[in-house]
Amino acid sequence: MSEEQDRLVHTLLEQDLGGETPPDLTARILRRTCDTPRRRHWLAVAAAATALIVLVGAGWLIFAGKSYPDPFAQGDYQVQDGGAVRRGATVIAGAGGAQLALGDYCRLELAGQTRLRVEGDPKAERVFLESGSVLCEVDRNVGTFAVRTDVGSVSVTGTKFTVRILDGRADGNRTSRQMVVKVLAGAVLLSGAWGNMPLAAGDEKTVGDAQGRTVTPSTPEKEAPKAEKPRPEAPRPEVTTGTIVKVEGTVVRVQPTDSHAREVGLETDAKTAVTVDGVEARAANLTPGMKVTITWGAGMNAKVAATTR
Amino acid sequence: MGLRRSQAGGVRRLNRDELICLVHQHQVEVYRYLRYLGAAPEVAEDLAQETFLAAWERSRRGPAEPIARPAAWLRGVSRNLFLAHCRRQKASPVRVDSESLERAEMGWLHELDGTGGIEDYLGALRSCVRELPDRQRQIIELQYVQKRSRAQIAAEHGLTEDGVKTLLRRVRAGLAQCVQRRLRTGGITSR
């Protein structure tokens, strides 16, 4: 008997004879989808109830003398130009990292040496990540939250995610940068010059060079730079996105999304990390027509994330 | 109410009713699958929810990306979520990596391929437990119903702890064979 077969029988006996019943998750899942009920009657009831709650809540806040909380930081940090943490201020985390609370519903963990500017408005919190890495945990259904970077922005429709800025090659006064977004729970919407991209729990996405553009560190008001055509002798990007055009044995040939870029060949082996539609797979599962994102490592080491759409 | 299907036969955009249908159809399997992978009950409950929320989010991304095989897709998502969960736990009691989870998936498919699913498997297992010889059934009840330790079972039955371990494994192997026989011949009765 295989270990897996033994484990299956053991687990089922443990659950069934031990009185463990799989829970009905329907109600909990529906609550978290924030879906709109279809019946107008219930919409009206919900709207009326919400309005009542808002009125009562607002009245209570006025009488209680409480107001929307100011941004609050603790840990190892300093504020550029001094003073307290406030909207418009840039917070620079020291080596020990820092924590930032926004509006009582957004909690941010700044890794050491992270630079982040506090933007946004009450119930529409927003930060601009200049460099470093931040872990964000956002309560649902309170207000909106977004992390902007000069590579793109991440809007929250879920609860927990990290954003990291990677500084790459310098080229004159321009710097190649990438934004790495990893969703730990819930979902986020990634936006940039390339369009919108929803990410769900477990997803990790690197954007920047992969979109065929080089960006300069910008001021918050500055528009995102326009896309550039790659130069003829450009070094290989750290990430390539495109479509598989051919699979020849262990070699997968990819036409990058950027029509100016030449076809790319990837030699796969047993160690090549491959996912198809978010599920771990083997290089042999890659077929022409799949959209792929290749994250290049040292030598020919690469991670390949493919989708069948 | 059925799921909306694309031309390729996969699940596309879900509305609320279809999500309920998807949850009802697969939640028990997803939960039991996560437990089989090694998740504790409360972890399996959380990750099963996240799995269906991932399906919901995905279905709302746009017209493309049909989920061709929902059960396999949900297992894949739950597997990845469990792996991520274990990596976040500094002192996880379960040692998992992508290879061991891949093996677990293969084992699951091997056991359940061609059957009516996990609930049929469980139904057959219940019948097989009832048919065990008295001594083997007692051992199983002491272990799984009364949750006695191996030392206690060993003392009651005049065995060593290793002997109990070996006996339990042998009984489970017999049960697995019995289940396969029942499923292949269609002789399933539930409790």
Side-chain angles (χ1 to χ4, degrees):
Chain A
M1 181 170 64
S2 73
E3 192 182 319
E4 284 72 33
Q5 192 180 34
D6 185 49
R7 196 201 308 180
L8 178 62
V9 174
H10 169 73
T11 311
L12 290 175
L13 288 172
E14 206 173 50
Q15 290 173 49
D16 202 46
L17 298 179
E20 179 187 333
T21 314
D24 186 353
L25 303 169
T26 316
R28 275 176 276 178
I29 291 167
L30 287 178
R31 265 202 303 276
R32 292 179 63 184
T33 58
C34 305
D35 196 9
T36 310
R38 289 189 300 175
R39 289 175 207 157
R40 286 181 178 275
H41 170 71
W42 289 111
L43 260 178
V45 170
T50 307
L52 185 65
I53 290 166
V54 168
L55 279 173
V56 171
W60 183 83
L61 279 177
I62 289 166
F63 284 109
K66 289 186 180 175
S67 59
Y68 192 81
D70 289 328
F72 172 76
Q74 64 180 18
D76 181 9
Y77 75 95
Q78 56 179 325
V79 178
Q80 192 177 21
D81 302 329
V85 175
R86 60 198 180 281
R87 294 189 195 285
T90 298
V91 178
I92 304 159
Q99 297 84 44
L100 181 64
L102 301 171
D104 267 353
Y105 70 96
C106 311
R107 292 168 294 283
L108 283 64
E109 288 266 352
L110 282 63
Q113 315 305 339
T114 294
R115 287 175 64 94
L116 174 153
R117 185 171 48 248
V118 181
E119 301 182 336
D121 294 297
K123 301 279 179 171
E125 298 292 351
R126 196 175 68 227
V127 296
F128 184 86
L129 179 62
E130 294 180 6
S131 64
S133 171
V134 61
L135 166 68
C136 310
E137 195 169 359
V138 182
D139 294 339
R140 285 175 182 272
N141 304 327
V142 183
T144 62
F145 177 71
V147 178
R148 291 198 323 118
T149 73
D150 48 19
V151 178
S153 69
V154 186
S155 308
V156 173
T157 54
T159 55
K160 199 171 179 181
F161 63 101
T162 60
V163 183
R164 190 154 48 100
I165 289 291
L166 299 177
D167 280 323
R169 299 172 298 278
D171 173 18
N173 64 343
R174 299 172 80 81
T175 307
S176 158
R177 307 189 94 195
Q178 290 187 319
M179 175 171 70
V180 184
V181 180
K182 183 172 186 180
V183 184
L184 305 172
V188 304
L189 182 67
L190 193 56
S191 312
W194 61 90
N196 295 328
M197 192 185 303
L199 299 181
D203 287 350
E204 181 171 342
K205 190 79 186 172
T206 303
V207 292
D209 273 356
Q211 280 63 43
R213 54 194 289 273
T214 307
V215 294
T216 52
S218 67
T219 58
E221 290 75 24
K222 196 179 279 183
E223 289 296 317
K226 290 179 181 171
E228 281 187 350
K229 290 177 186 174
R231 289 162 296 152
E233 293 302 317
R236 187 177 71 185
E238 286 163 318
V239 177
T240 300
T241 56
T243 307
I244 297 176
V245 289
K246 196 182 279 186
V247 179
E248 300 166 320
T250 57
V251 178
V252 177
R253 305 211 65 82
V254 173
Q255 175 60 53
T257 309
D258 184 339
S259 58
H260 297 283
R262 277 188 286 179
E263 208 176 85
V264 174
L266 167 67
E267 173 81 44
T268 61
D269 59 25
K271 290 179 182 172
T272 306
V274 176
T275 62
V276 175
D277 291 335
V279 179
E280 285 185 20
R282 296 190 178 85
N285 299 119
L286 298 172
T287 55
M290 285 182 172
K291 307 284 185 197
V292 287
T293 299
I294 304 171
T295 307
W296 301 100
M300 287 304 285
N301 284 340
K303 285 184 182 174
V304 183
T307 57
T308 52
R309 63 174 155 168
Chain B
M1 182 173 301
L3 299 169
R4 276 185 214 166
R5 292 192 172 267
S6 69
Q7 289 177 342
V11 178
R12 272 186 195 264
R13 281 175 175 275
L14 298 170
N15 62 30
R16 192 182 175 87
D17 290 338
E18 288 161 346
L19 175 66
I20 293 171
C21 182
L22 184 72
V23 173
H24 281 176
Q25 207 172 347
H26 296 285
Q27 63 175 340
V28 170
E29 177 169 353
V30 171
Y31 177 85
R32 292 204 192 279
Y33 182 69
L34 282 160
R35 293 283 287 120
Y36 157 73
L37 294 182
E42 62 279 7
V43 174
E45 210 170 308
D46 284 348
L47 296 184
Q49 284 184 60
E50 295 297 336
T51 300
F52 287 102
L53 288 170
W56 171 255
E57 292 294 341
R58 179 182 167 135
S59 81
R60 304 193 82 72
R61 286 181 193 180
E65 292 184 85
I67 302 172
R69 292 179 300 139
W73 190 87
L74 290 167
R75 281 202 310 276
V77 172
S78 61
R79 203 161 58 241
N80 289 336
L81 287 172
F82 181 55
L83 184 60
H85 168 84
C86 292
R87 284 177 179 162
R88 283 198 301 274
Q89 304 301 307
K90 285 176 183 163
S92 172
V94 187
R95 288 235 164 261
V96 296
D97 53 39
S98 50
E99 281 179 18
S100 65
L101 291 182
E102 188 67 28
R103 280 199 305 275
E105 166 68 6
M106 291 296 121
W108 179 274
L109 284 176
H110 181 262
E111 280 302 288
L112 297 174
D113 190 31
T115 71
I118 189 65
E119 289 307 287
D120 277 3
Y121 191 97
L122 185 58
L125 180 62
R126 285 170 185 150
S127 302
C128 291
V129 169
R130 282 197 293 270
E131 289 170 5
L132 283 174
D134 285 348
R135 185 163 182 260
Q136 291 188 6
R137 200 170 60 248
Q138 279 171 16
I139 296 275
I140 287 288
E141 283 179 0
L142 287 171
Q143 167 81 18
Y144 293 104
V145 181
Q146 299 180 29
K147 300 187 193 322
R148 301 274 183 88
S149 67
R150 269 194 214 139
Q152 289 172 319
I153 300 172
E156 283 189 35
H157 285 263
L159 297 165
T160 63
E161 286 189 41
D162 278 346
V164 172
K165 184 180 173 182
T166 306
L167 180 57
L168 279 167
R169 191 174 165 84
R170 203 183 310 142
V171 175
R172 286 195 297 263
L175 287 170
Q177 283 174 5
C178 169
V179 167
Q180 288 301 334
R181 269 198 311 275
R182 281 184 164 271
L183 291 174
R184 305 300 172 213
T185 56
I188 304 160
T189 52
S190 53
R191 95 174 131 190

